[in-house]
Amino acid sequence: MATHTVLQITDLHLKTPRAATMLGINTEAFFLQTLRHALDAHPRCDLLLLTGDLAQDPCQEVYLRIRQHLEKTGLPCLCLPGNHDDFELMQQNLSGGQIVCERTFQLGAWSIIVLHSQQADSQTGTLAQAELQFLRETLEHNAHRPTLIAVHHHCIATGSPWMDSMQIDNSAAFLQLLAEYPQVKLVTCGHVHQEFARKFGTISLFGTPSSCFQFAPQSHQYALDNLPPGYRLFSLVDDGTFATECRRVPLDMRDLDPKAPGY
Ligand SMILES: [Fe+2]
């Protein structure tokens, strides 16, 4: 049975100029080391899935730099926007060749559906009525394909109230819709900068560490964790089963400034 390897890398938060740091670390250097670590460990990767907050400073220069880095991998890359991104600039400067910002992607028997959850001038997620309609229609047309949903914001509480105030504000409607379609196997998100796994009925819900700094789990207020960057590996089997795990990249976190505001 064919198995497809997907590497999810998320929340790169690249800045301009290239040497700029965020919370004490150079996010571009961390992204590159995360990418290298992931590809060294999984050279037969079928898809790189980048789930938002690719840019902290969304501008042409940043997206072109990300494009250069991704092009060097020679791998298909599926990119979606987070609350810090500018989707129009992503389409203009990042998309092209093997790098796509599409809403659907087929990988063997699997269907990947990309949802956009960002809303203007807000860090909180939402799924507009048009997104839910697109989701329903796509699920109707792909009833026999096991499905992975990729979206930037989380749709279930992580246990950190400050973070959960930013989750998809109509998560209940979203999850109820998914529950109508048994082909939906899992939802994976960025945004939370930490590893988590929950279940909603038969559907698995995952959060993935950032390629730069991490947020402390189960924290009432904003707080950083000193765990190193990470990424998530998915092995998607054509019979609809899957396996997943997070991997950490052994990077030196001594420069992380836990007192700095500004996320
Ligand atoms: Fe982020």
Side-chain angles (χ1 to χ4, degrees):
M1 185 76 65
T3 300
H4 313 279
T5 300
V6 178
L7 296 173
Q8 182 190 3
I9 297 180
T10 194
D11 293 82
L12 290 51
H13 289 275
L14 258 61
K15 292 180 64 66
T16 185
R18 188 187 291 258
T21 59
M22 184 174 180
L23 305 177
I25 60 176
N26 183 275
T27 51
E28 182 157 352
F30 271 47
F31 164 59
L32 288 175
Q33 293 189 75
T34 301
L35 184 63
R36 187 175 309 123
H37 188 277
L39 294 178
D40 284 351
H42 310 286
R44 298 178 60 138
C45 169
D46 296 298
L47 177 68
L48 286 173
L49 175 62
L50 282 77
T51 46
D53 284 0
L54 279 60
Q56 175 68 20
D57 301 327
C59 61
Q60 182 184 47
E61 179 201 325
V62 163
Y63 289 122
L64 287 175
R65 277 172 18 215
I66 296 170
R67 179 175 178 158
Q68 277 180 357
H69 298 318
L70 293 178
E71 278 177 342
K72 284 182 191 155
T73 70
L75 293 167
C77 301
L78 178 59
C79 302
L80 63 95
N83 47 296
H84 290 283
D85 287 306
D86 181 322
F87 187 57
E88 204 172 307
L89 285 179
M90 283 175 67
Q91 289 175 299
Q92 290 166 358
N93 299 289
L94 178 63
S95 185
Q98 91 267 20
I99 306 166
V100 298
C101 298
E102 302 292 339
R103 309 301 304 277
T104 59
F105 194 92
Q106 309 296 340
L107 201 54
W110 280 75
S111 166
I112 297 176
I113 301 177
V114 168
L115 297 177
H116 289 189
S117 57
Q118 75 278 30
Q119 51 186 331
D121 305 319
S122 176
Q123 302 215 63
T124 300
T126 198
L127 290 170
Q129 212 51 44
E131 286 297 304
L132 294 177
Q133 187 60 29
F134 158 74
L135 173 62
R136 186 178 288 285
E137 286 169 8
T138 308
L139 289 169
E140 289 284 343
H141 291 139
N142 294 276
H144 301 296
R145 286 182 169 275
T147 299
L148 180 160
I149 312 272
V151 60
H152 179 67
H153 292 83
H154 53 307
C155 62
I156 199 163
T158 62
S160 291
W162 76 275
M163 172 57 70
D164 293 338
S165 71
M166 296 186 278
Q167 82 174 64
I168 292 170
D169 59 10
N170 54 343
S171 292
F174 172 53
L175 290 171
Q176 276 168 23
L177 191 161
L178 293 185
E180 294 178 40
Y181 295 91
Q183 76 263 34
V184 177
K185 306 301 180 191
L186 65 108
V187 180
T188 193
C189 70
H191 191 63
V192 295
H193 291 231
Q194 63 194 269
E195 177 179 2
F196 81 84
R198 301 279 190 280
K199 290 285 274 191
F200 180 77
T202 60
I203 303 169
S204 299
L205 311 173
F206 297 110
T208 297
S210 159
S211 67
C212 52
F213 52 86
Q214 315 305 319
F215 294 130
Q218 308 291 320
S219 174
H220 195 76
Q221 318 165 44
Y222 165 87
L224 292 178
D225 202 337
N226 61 2
L227 280 172
Y231 60 93
R232 184 176 283 281
L233 163 70
F234 288 104
S235 301
L236 307 177
V237 187
D238 271 353
D239 65 3
T241 60
F242 70 91
T244 183
E245 64 179 297
C246 288
R247 299 276 173 88
R248 296 282 174 175
V249 184
L251 293 180
D252 186 346
M253 299 303 289
R254 271 179 300 185
D255 290 336
L256 181 71
D257 181 357
K259 295 187 209 67
Y263 174 68

